[in-house]
Amino acid sequence: MRFHILTLFPEMVEQIFHTSIIGRAVQKGILQAEAVNIRDYTTDRHNKVDDYPYGGGAGMVMQAQPVYDAWKAIVEKIGYQPKTVYLTPQAPVFCQAMAKQYAIEQDMILLCGHYEGIDERVLEEIVTDYVSIGDYVLTGGELPAMVMVDAIARMVPGVLSNEQSASTESLEGNLLEYPQYSRPEEWRGKKVPPVLLSGDHAKVDAWRREQSILRTISRRPDLMEHAQLTEQERGRHLGMQQGADLP
Ligand code: 6GU
């Protein structure tokens, strides 16, 4: 998969292409990633990429021309129009299911805005998907783009080692992960749950499953509505989720 990040601050996003798991996947050729500097495409003689908003108001707006031409250059290079995501808080919130979906794309363009946003006309022309990473405001789309690249990249086959991908994941089936323990067996008087030392794999699995459910109920009750539970599990835990002492 190839990521193309349209940004005014390429140095901000380039680090993740060289670091850790994503960096290794780039080296192995499973992933490609490039940051395209929107400013390289301005036709303004002073290299300007923004201007005052029509109608007045605070801040500056990124102009359509450099964004469009930078996008067009990518499209011409790869020979088709890939999914083009504009990172904005005015959009549906990114989630694991979306990460899995995007991971099947051959190419993806991520458009990072700054200032008060980007001229609406170029967005209408090039953007296929609007995505936010949560209900708070950031100064630009670069951090959100990096969040998306990381979450999507690790879903691309071959990026994670077998060992890593085999590990049960938080949010699989909309449940949080169970707690983990490592040596020593006792630390500050706190013991590792005995079942984990029992060597009984079926029991360990059952305990972990139960912990996942309990943790989701207590930390992220909003996920329970979509959690993939068996009828038995639902029956066992339903009372905990809603007021247990209703008549
Ligand atoms: Cl995607 N962009 C910006 N600028 N702020 C955000 C965001 C995106 N998601 C949450 N806040």
Side-chain angles (χ1 to χ4, degrees):
M1 175 163 193
R2 298 180 294 199
F3 295 100
H4 313 268
I5 304 180
L6 285 171
T7 172
L8 288 173
F9 303 96
E11 65 288 352
M12 210 174 151
V13 298
E14 268 159 359
Q15 298 180 49
I16 74 159
F17 307 158
H18 310 295
T19 314
S20 185
I21 294 173
I22 310 291
R24 189 162 40 78
V26 170
Q27 293 239 300
K28 283 204 279 178
I30 302 166
L31 299 178
Q32 287 178 40
E34 61 165 353
V36 176
N37 192 341
I38 294 168
R39 197 176 298 277
D40 290 346
Y41 291 85
T42 182
T43 53
D44 178 84
R45 14 189 210 113
H46 304 294
N47 272 350
K48 207 163 61 72
V49 290
D50 60 347
D51 208 332
Y52 297 99
Y54 279 118
M60 301 291 267
V61 174
M62 283 170 65
Q63 292 167 287
Q65 177 272 318
V67 172
Y68 185 75
D69 288 356
W71 177 81
K72 201 77 206 285
I74 298 167
V75 169
E76 276 166 9
K77 186 166 74 176
I78 67 178
Y80 76 105
Q81 297 189 9
K83 285 245 163 84
T84 299
V85 173
Y86 178 47
L87 289 311
T88 168
Q90 304 159 23
V93 175
F94 188 55
C95 65
Q96 189 61 31
M98 290 160 80
K100 279 188 189 166
Q101 263 302 308
Y102 285 125
I104 66 178
E105 299 294 325
Q106 184 59 241
D107 289 89
M108 187 172 176
I109 299 178
L110 296 134
L111 171 59
C112 307
H114 254 267
Y115 316 120
E116 291 308 305
I118 301 180
D119 191 308
E120 192 69 19
R121 293 167 296 181
V122 68
L123 300 178
E124 289 170 8
E125 204 69 24
I126 70 174
V127 173
T128 57
D129 304 23
Y130 293 83
V131 179
S132 167
I133 62 158
D135 293 333
Y136 38 81
V137 180
L138 302 170
T139 55
E142 283 76 13
L143 288 172
M146 289 159 78
V147 166
M148 285 189 70
V149 168
D150 192 284
I152 295 164
R154 64 188 290 291
M155 298 314 293
V156 172
V159 170
L160 298 184
S161 68
N162 273 342
E163 202 174 301
Q164 289 163 329
S165 38
S167 80
T168 316
E169 292 201 23
S170 262
L171 299 178
E172 265 312 307
N174 269 296
L175 289 174
L176 302 185
E177 236 213 291
Y178 48 80
Q180 298 275 21
Y181 301 85
S182 185
R183 287 198 281 191
E185 256 183 66
E186 186 175 329
W187 179 78
R188 286 176 145 258
K190 293 160 98 77
K191 292 197 165 67
V192 172
V195 60
L196 299 179
L197 311 173
S198 70
D200 184 335
H201 293 300
K203 265 197 188 158
V204 169
D205 288 349
W207 181 85
R208 286 178 165 169
R209 174 83 188 165
E210 190 67 7
Q211 291 296 313
S212 281
I213 296 169
L214 292 173
R215 179 161 277 195
T216 308
I217 291 168
S218 79
R219 295 189 185 179
R220 289 294 306 277
D222 57 300
L223 291 180
M224 286 306 288
E225 196 182 329
H226 302 287
Q228 288 164 26
L229 299 187
T230 64
E231 275 307 308
Q232 205 188 17
E233 287 168 338
R234 274 207 181 272
R236 202 142 33 87
H237 292 287
L238 207 69
M240 290 188 210
Q241 259 184 88
Q242 300 154 355
D245 37 12
L246 287 176

